[in-house]
Amino acid sequence: QVQVVESGGGLVQAGGSLRLSCTASGSTFAAYTMGWFRQAPGKEREGISCINWSGGVTYYRDSVKGRFTISRDNAKNTLYLQMNSLKPEDTAMYYCAVLLSGYVNANTCSGSFNWGQGTQVTVSS
């Protein structure tokens, strides 16, 4: 099973940018759809973006469309999330996820996931 470790979180001012990375172990990273989730204090974990194995299909939650970009480098076993124009409401713990079973299309990313430990993103106003 693919194990993942997130990095790149931190404190940034509103309007700023961060790039999250997710490094995966195992030789089968390229076979999996991957995603990013987040959970703010007192709120449920929500899926914000997913990308299929080739990078040809992506999903974005409405609240991040046009600001966040998901990408992957299968040769490096790494998933990325470029976050621009950050807002205070983007403050959350961000989790990388491996889609163990399910599907992704432009409108949804659904199934059973395995998550990493998370990286904290804090956006100050």
Side-chain angles (χ1 to χ4, degrees):
Q1 198 171 37
V2 177
Q3 303 296 318
V4 293
V5 177
E6 304 93 336
S7 62
L11 174 63
V12 63
Q13 289 188 330
S17 298
L18 282 174
R19 189 176 81 156
L20 305 183
S21 297
C22 168
T23 302
S25 63
S27 60
T28 58
F29 171 80
Y32 286 95
T33 289
M34 301 291 296
W36 288 98
F37 286 68
R38 68 185 180 188
Q39 187 169 19
K43 295 188 177 181
E44 293 187 355
R45 189 174 300 189
E46 62 183 16
I48 56 174
S49 187
C50 290
I51 186 168
N52 79 327
W53 68 275
S54 68
V57 178
T58 57
Y59 159 79
Y60 293 97
R61 192 176 191 85
D62 285 348
S63 58
V64 305
K65 281 181 180 178
R67 300 189 298 123
F68 291 10
T69 303
I70 192 170
S71 62
R72 66 190 297 162
D73 185 336
N74 288 340
K76 296 182 178 180
N77 278 15
T78 303
L79 176 74
Y80 303 100
L81 185 69
Q82 178 67 43
M83 305 186 295
N84 298 329
S85 302
L86 282 162
K87 305 175 181 180
E89 51 264 43
D90 294 317
T91 295
M93 185 70 79
Y94 282 69
Y95 299 90
C96 175
V98 183
L99 182 61
L100 301 176
S101 63
Y103 59 92
V104 58
N105 58 41
N107 299 310
T108 191
C109 180
S110 180
S112 175
F113 292 90
N114 184 35
W115 289 283
Q117 295 300 305
T119 185
Q120 178 68 37
V121 172
T122 302
V123 184
S124 63
S125 57

